[in-house]
Amino acid sequence: MSQLQEMEKRLADGQREYVLDVKTQDMEINMGPQHPATHGVLRVVLTADGEVLTSATPYVGYIHRCAEKIGESVDYKMFLPYTDRYDYLAAMNNNVGYCLAVEKAGGIEVPPRATWLRMIICELNRIGSHLIAFGTYGLDLGAFTPFLYGFREREWVMSLFEKLCGARLTYSYAYPGGVINDAPEGWLDELLRFCDVFDKKYQEYDALLTRNKIFIERTRNVGIVTKDQALRYGWTGPSLRASGVRFDVRESQPYLFYDQISFDVPIGRGEMGTTGDCWDRYYVRMLEMLQCTRMLRQCVERIQADTTPGEFLTKLKNYRITPGEAYVGIDNPRGELGHYVVADGKDVAYRIKIRGPSFCNLSILPEILPGAMLADAVAIIGSMDIVLGEVDR
Amino acid sequence: MLSLLVTLGAAQQVGSTVENPETGILEGIFDGWFGDTFGPLVSAVLGLIIVLTLCSLLPMFWTWAERRIAGRIQQRPGPNRVGPFGLIQALADGIKLMFKEDIIPTQSSRFLFMLAPGIVLAGTFVAFGMLPLSPSVIVVNTHLGIYLITAFLALDAIGVIMAGWASNNKWSILGAMREAAQMVSYEIPLGILFLMAGVTYGSLNLVDMVAEQEGGLFGIGQWMLFRFPPFGFIGFLVFYVAILAEAKRAPFDLPEAESELVSGFHTEYSGIRFSFFFLAEYAAMFLLSGVAVCIFLGGWNLPFISGSFWRDNGMFGELLAVISMLFKSFILVFVMLWLRWTLPRIRVDQVMSFCYKYLTPAAFACLLAAVFWAETKV
């Protein structure tokens, strides 16, 4: 009798769609913090009924490095290298976002050449970051080769950055007041060459993964995030746009010179399944890479036409910023990266708050993982393209 | 090792019921010295040594080949430092694995944990005994050829489940369960296609099957691939997909699935025990490809060469037959490697539905076609 009642309760819950004739127990599995598919030290405690997940709880904070607190202890210039390190795949975007916030708080003028260079590095880094997203997503789903194809082009991006500022991963290139040095000779021409080659190589990615039948079957109608859900969880970036929301900070609240160039904002259309599924999230990133090369070409054209070489930094005696506060949100490869700077007249910020896109996007996991299969969990986490360095900061 | 001997001895006992047992590689040679009882066993042991050598050398070659091919596909060199073209890399890896610490988790079921790799390896290696490489290079020539091969390969599933269970690791047990489901499911289309072969050739012995495929149009007309068009070809495709799943190769590598289950059932294994699983996987790849060649691709038969060529030229014919057989199997194994480095992995429910919705009905269609064709011929 009691067993029957238990069955009824389970059905009324809606948790189980079937009645079991044997007593089974859900298995609790720790996915991470050391797991190949969690893209860092994310720990998700899953309960699974066979291969079907019944609940998921993400635990974050394994590489918390007190980025915000450090921002309140060291001066404005010295915090710059720390911005490289929270989203290490998009260090350029982080630098730019932080510098924009400091400049807005302090009313610092930036020469136009520096602004164009900043746009170039932002979009170039977006390509680099999306290539990692593309490659590791293939890796998550068991396809090894796209990863190395992606790295082939990423290597060129890295070497372009190396020529620009000497570093390959943590650049600290943008600087409050401009950028640390001008583009070396021939660098802009090489950039144009890269754009041409990249557009060709993009076809290979499409053939290898995007249109692969198995890949489509693995990602379509998996991990669907509706428009409503995405907005409720504060999603931003390509993941939000994949759910059909046309929101891009570059378009809605243009910073730098994004209002002076033309670009499209790709949004998810549910081409292969439902709008907001894993395939859409993946494909929006792929389309964004093409937009990046389109923007890069325009930027190079404008920087060569409108600016004089050598004017790349407003030199300031000190960075003692008058009391005030500023928030600047930029669109980094994972979504809206916000920096909120409160200045109190010293050369150290009173408060720095960072709004990380990966952290906000990650919070949806407990809602969309239950009901998916274990292999889908990997596909879903991979499709959100999170960087744990930025989640934990 | 003991289990190897016992199983092979059993196979030999079954094999001794063959009516014309003169075709085995060493059969009959020792009967005069050791009598009818022990003679077959001695010849089996010696044959086993040959098989073991082959089984250990081929996977070593294939690990090297896989890494070179993967390198080629992924635009990187692959191992090229140890020996010419990196050929000795596999040996170096083997030595490294042998000297590594053999870690047995304290919470594991110790006995089963240690036994599992042996069972996986034994199952695959013994199955080699029934695979002919030429008309007479075969350890155990029995009427039950492919039947025994499937039986011994099924040991593989037991070993894997044992490994997953004994590891006391949740990811391992998930991998083991996947393996169990996958192996049992894909043995169905495989078994049906074995039946098709049995119906077509009137024998379950692989040597007889190859003999049945001699001659025909251009010397290839009698290959199963070109019989009952298009069912022979469909049968081959189904068979190939099924052996991919049986050998746990991509896109059916769910039991291992690095990115999902860390390493699946062999997560907790290290050193030489890990290499047992590795060897068994590569040996199974080659073995199943060999079976596919024997059933569908005419074994050692080549176009424009008459079937009697292999038998009439003594050692030379046998040697050429071995080379032809190895070459054909290598092509099939190469395609396996190629697929592995190109395709993503299928999800577990898709693996099951693919098997039951498409492969099994297709295999049945092939069996029916073979039955009706055979019926109308007679």
Side-chain angles (χ1 to χ4, degrees):
Chain A
M1 184 62 198
S2 64
Q3 206 182 349
L4 274 177
Q5 280 171 342
E6 202 184 314
M7 285 179 185
E8 279 173 9
K9 213 169 80 187
R10 276 183 179 173
L11 280 175
D13 262 0
Q15 289 288 320
R16 291 271 172 79
E17 290 174 17
Y18 47 88
V19 179
L20 300 165
D21 56 349
V22 285
K23 195 174 180 324
T24 62
Q25 199 183 354
D26 286 356
M27 179 158 67
E28 194 176 86
I29 317 170
N30 254 310
M31 189 167 167
Q34 276 84 35
H35 187 278
T38 54
H39 295 233
V41 283
L42 171 67
R43 174 176 167 226
V44 190
V45 175
L46 305 166
T47 49
D49 178 19
E51 289 259 350
V52 182
L53 303 177
T54 51
S55 80
T57 320
Y59 289 88
V60 297
Y62 285 90
I63 45 166
H64 176 53
R65 287 153 303 171
C66 316
E68 293 177 7
K69 190 67 197 162
I70 292 171
E72 295 157 19
S73 324
V74 298
D75 70 28
Y76 292 106
K77 305 189 295 291
M78 284 166 73
F79 184 59
L80 192 66
Y82 289 97
T83 65
D84 285 330
R85 282 158 177 82
Y86 37 82
D87 187 349
Y88 41 79
L89 295 182
M92 285 292 193
N93 301 62
N94 301 351
N95 294 161
V96 171
Y98 171 70
C99 291
L100 285 174
V102 173
E103 283 153 10
K104 192 174 173 190
I108 302 167
E109 285 289 315
V110 179
R113 190 170 175 87
T115 306
W116 285 115
L117 276 171
R118 282 176 178 190
M119 280 176 71
I120 289 173
I121 56 171
C122 278
E123 294 312 316
L124 196 54
N125 206 339
R126 192 184 306 273
I127 292 180
S129 173
H130 282 353
L131 280 176
I132 291 255
F134 156 79
T136 51
Y137 199 41
L139 217 51
D140 286 345
L141 299 180
F144 294 85
T145 305
F147 182 67
L148 285 131
Y149 274 52
F151 259 67
R152 183 185 57 195
E153 270 70 64
R154 188 178 149 81
E155 178 59 32
W156 197 350
V157 174
M158 296 289 101
S159 79
L160 276 169
F161 282 146
E162 196 178 358
K163 282 175 189 168
L164 191 63
C165 63
R168 284 169 60 87
L169 193 69
T170 50
Y171 314 103
S172 304
Y173 176 66
Y175 196 81
V179 292
I180 51 169
N181 56 295
D182 207 348
E185 212 173 311
W187 192 82
L188 292 170
D189 298 331
E190 190 183 344
L191 184 66
L192 288 179
R193 267 209 315 285
F194 167 78
C195 290
D196 294 341
V197 172
F198 183 81
D199 283 357
K200 279 196 203 86
K201 298 286 184 190
Y202 175 83
Q203 310 299 329
E204 285 181 13
Y205 309 150
D206 242 13
L208 199 57
L209 205 55
T210 316
R211 307 285 166 193
N212 184 310
K213 179 74 177 154
I214 296 178
F215 177 76
I216 292 170
E217 286 300 321
R218 280 295 305 274
T219 51
R220 57 185 278 192
N221 296 332
V222 168
I224 300 163
V225 177
T226 60
K227 211 181 234 188
D228 174 55
Q229 272 176 325
L231 291 172
R232 218 154 21 87
Y233 277 89
W235 270 29
T236 45
S239 304
L240 172 70
R241 295 194 276 275
S243 295
V245 183
R246 193 186 167 110
F247 172 74
D248 189 329
V249 189
R250 289 173 295 177
E251 190 187 47
S252 57
Q253 299 133 36
Y255 54 97
L256 300 175
F257 290 150
Y258 277 110
D259 46 351
Q260 296 183 26
I261 57 172
S262 60
F263 59 95
D264 291 333
V265 179
I267 62 168
R269 298 183 194 285
E271 253 176 85
M272 292 297 165
T274 320
T275 308
D277 58 10
C278 287
W279 194 87
D280 270 354
R281 282 197 284 282
Y282 161 85
Y283 195 53
V284 162
R285 288 200 173 81
M286 299 304 284
L287 291 178
E288 273 193 9
M289 289 202 279
L290 289 183
Q291 292 301 319
C292 287
T293 52
R294 189 177 152 197
M295 282 187 252
L296 282 173
R297 286 200 188 91
Q298 296 176 45
C299 289
V300 172
E301 197 181 301
R302 292 292 299 276
I303 198 173
Q304 282 170 339
D306 298 356
T307 64
T308 30
E311 290 174 8
F312 56 88
L313 182 62
T314 310
K315 290 230 167 68
L316 299 175
K317 276 186 192 141
N318 58 50
Y319 288 87
R320 203 162 291 162
I321 289 170
T322 48
E325 54 188 292
Y327 173 85
V328 174
I330 64 154
D331 195 77
N332 98 337
R334 267 153 277 279
E336 181 176 344
L337 176 76
H339 283 90
Y340 177 60
V341 177
V342 181
D344 59 355
K346 300 196 194 98
D347 55 356
V348 179
Y350 175 75
R351 175 83 173 97
I352 284 182
K353 166 84 183 101
I354 301 153
R355 187 246 181 240
S358 294
F359 179 72
C360 297
N361 292 1
L362 180 70
S363 59
I364 205 171
L365 280 185
E367 185 160 326
I368 56 171
L369 279 191
M373 306 199 73
L374 191 66
D376 290 340
V378 172
I380 291 168
I381 294 173
S383 75
M384 301 197 307
D385 184 28
I386 45 172
V387 166
L388 266 295
E390 188 245 89
V391 172
D392 296 344
R393 289 197 285 278
Chain B
M1 207 54 180
L2 193 70
S3 61
L4 265 173
L5 281 177
V6 170
T7 39
L8 209 86
Q12 191 70 24
Q13 285 307 307
V14 179
S16 63
T17 58
V18 178
E19 286 147 31
N20 47 347
E22 82 280 9
T23 42
I25 177 172
L26 299 167
E27 269 187 46
I29 297 174
F30 300 102
D31 289 8
W33 298 356
F34 297 99
D36 286 349
T37 322
F38 293 106
L41 196 64
V42 171
S43 62
V45 169
L46 287 180
L48 179 73
I49 291 169
I50 296 171
V51 170
L52 274 179
T53 319
L54 190 72
C55 288
S56 333
L57 284 178
L58 280 176
M60 274 170 73
F61 167 73
W62 276 114
T63 50
W64 169 82
E66 164 139 50
R67 293 166 69 183
R68 288 292 285 192
I69 291 166
R72 178 99 184 105
I73 291 173
Q74 299 178 339
Q75 310 182 337
R76 57 190 174 82
N80 61 358
R81 291 280 157 176
V82 192
F85 307 108
L87 261 169
I88 315 178
Q89 180 70 45
L91 194 67
D93 287 346
I95 292 169
K96 181 200 78 175
L97 283 169
M98 247 184 265
F99 285 102
K100 269 181 101 167
E101 185 186 354
D102 178 26
I103 299 166
I104 299 172
T106 47
Q107 297 295 306
S108 67
S109 172
R110 204 180 156 82
F111 176 69
L112 293 181
F113 187 85
M114 286 162 66
L115 188 63
I119 288 188
V120 171
L121 199 65
T124 317
F125 276 28
V126 171
F128 258 97
M130 271 65 70
L131 179 74
L133 292 179
S134 81
S136 59
V137 178
I138 175 170
V139 179
V140 185
N141 195 4
T142 145
H143 277 329
L144 291 171
I146 43 176
Y147 176 78
L148 283 180
I149 288 179
T150 25
F152 287 123
L153 274 177
L155 273 181
D156 190 81
I158 295 173
V160 167
I161 296 165
M162 205 184 261
W165 176 259
S167 296
N168 192 24
N169 175 330
K170 286 169 181 172
W171 297 106
S172 298
I173 194 91
L174 273 172
M177 288 300 118
R178 284 180 173 189
E179 159 88 5
Q182 186 173 315
M183 292 288 269
V184 169
S185 303
Y186 279 79
E187 266 165 19
I188 293 170
L190 214 55
I192 294 168
L193 288 171
F194 283 151
L195 278 181
M196 178 200 186
V199 168
T200 315
Y201 304 127
S203 167
L204 288 178
N205 184 325
L206 287 170
V207 183
D208 294 350
M209 286 190 187
V210 176
E212 286 285 320
Q213 297 178 67
E214 288 167 3
L217 194 64
F218 304 130
I220 56 172
Q222 289 298 310
W223 293 10
M224 178 72 101
L225 193 65
F226 304 110
R227 286 194 190 195
F228 334 120
F231 290 101
F233 189 71
I234 294 173
F236 173 68
L237 288 183
V238 172
F239 193 86
Y240 193 73
V241 174
I243 63 174
L244 271 179
E246 283 285 302
K248 302 188 284 288
R249 293 296 295 182
F252 299 102
D253 56 346
L254 294 127
E256 309 175 11
E258 290 99 316
S259 56
E260 293 160 24
L261 304 184
V262 193
S263 269
F265 62 89
H266 59 62
T267 307
E268 300 290 348
Y269 282 88
S270 59
I272 196 72
R273 274 179 225 285
F274 164 74
S275 73
F276 278 8
F277 286 119
F278 208 62
L279 272 177
E281 183 186 322
Y282 281 80
M285 269 163 72
F286 176 73
L287 172 75
L288 289 164
S289 297
V291 173
V293 167
C294 283
I295 296 179
F296 289 95
L297 303 180
W300 43 84
N301 290 310
L302 289 177
F304 308 114
I305 291 174
S306 84
S308 56
F309 170 81
W310 314 109
R311 288 187 296 273
D312 298 342
N313 285 301
M315 283 301 275
F316 179 65
E318 298 282 344
L319 190 68
L320 281 186
V322 171
I323 291 172
S324 156
M325 176 78 191
L326 287 180
F327 177 71
K328 284 187 191 176
S329 314
F330 281 5
I331 291 176
L332 291 192
V333 178
F334 170 74
V335 176
M336 284 187 183
L337 303 185
W338 186 9
L339 287 176
R340 158 123 192 235
W341 297 104
T342 312
L343 294 179
R345 188 180 303 118
I346 303 179
R347 201 171 59 209
V348 64
D349 58 325
Q350 291 164 348
V351 168
M352 291 299 132
S353 63
F354 184 62
C355 176
Y356 288 116
K357 271 163 117 176
Y358 304 106
L359 290 189
T360 310
F364 263 120
C366 295
L367 175 63
L368 280 179
V371 169
F372 282 121
W373 237 281
E375 203 57 29
T376 47
K377 256 188 184 173
V378 172

